[in-house]
Amino acid sequence: AQKVTQAQTEISVVEKEDVTLDCVYETRDTTYYLFWYKQPPSGELVFLIRRNSFDEQNEISGRYSWNFQKSTSSFNFTITASQVVDSAVYFCALSEHFGNEKLTFGTGTRLTIIP
Amino acid sequence: DTGVSQDPRHKITKRGQNVTFRCDPISEHNRLYWYRQTLGQGPEFLTYFQNEAQLEKSRLLSDRFSAERPKGSFSTLEIQRTEQGDSAMYLCASSLETGGYQETQYFGPGTRLLVL
């Protein structure tokens, strides 16, 4: 069975600080995908990144970066120089490569950026 | 290119009533998923369609729930005899699957259901 754990329920940081959101996953599949989604107060899940299990290269997109480590089954997300607009709930998710490819989500981390 | 749309955005109903939600996926996306999200939790998979065929249903989907995707385009999710425990956000997502490779799932804004 697949499982995603986001141990940080809520995080608050002052604007311009860096913040890292943790994600640990469990799966028996050798091929799988990892995702991060952002859910602002409006409720819509916004796709941020998708990573397959064979690509452990870290990725940077503007102020966002992701660190994928298979050895520790982690896929952490860092926001550099945080802004108030980054305030949202962030979800990490996992899907198998074959079959229904449904997403298994963590419980989310609520990030509040204090101006 | 328009995104996934859902209607209505909010629904308040009394216990025992039937409700129906609609999801319009991104055009040409052949896969459509329904998820349910309760307060403080991540979305949970309910069911999914490949074109018009419903290929899997979660055990979360009781007999009171039924989903359809006629003609492989929009989908409807109906809840009969609603219960207070059905109160949640119902999210729809779509993706494109080609030759065993699936693209990312994109989500709609959700339908927030409150059962009184």
Side-chain angles (χ1 to χ4, degrees), chain A residues 33 35 37 39 41-45 47 50 91 95-108, chain B residues 4 9 31 33 35 37 40-45 48 56 89 91 100-109 112:
Chain A
Y33 293 97
F35 302 79
Y37 285 85
Q39 189 172 44
S42 62
E44 184 166 352
L45 281 165
F47 166 73
R50 164 197 174 106
F91 289 97
S95 80
E96 60 189 17
H97 178 64
F98 299 107
N100 62 28
E101 299 185 18
K102 65 181 181 184
L103 293 168
T104 298
F105 286 85
T107 51
Chain B
V4 179
R9 296 290 307 276
R31 282 200 174 181
Y33 296 77
Y35 292 83
Q37 184 180 19
Q41 300 297 314
E44 294 177 292
F45 169 78
Y48 91 106
E56 184 171 339
M89 172 83 92
L91 293 161
Y101 178 77
Q102 185 191 224
E103 297 291 339
T104 297
Q105 291 181 36
Y106 292 93
F107 284 80
R112 191 175 296 279

Side-chain angles (χ1 to χ4, degrees), chain A residues 18 53 92:
Chain A
D18 299 347
S53 52
C92 180

Side-chain angles (χ1 to χ4, degrees), chain B residues 56-69:
Chain B
E56 184 171 339
K57 294 192 290 186
S58 162
R59 61 179 182 275
L60 292 176
L61 216 62
S62 76
D63 292 343
R64 297 183 298 104
F65 288 70
S66 63
E68 294 182 342
R69 192 182 183 198

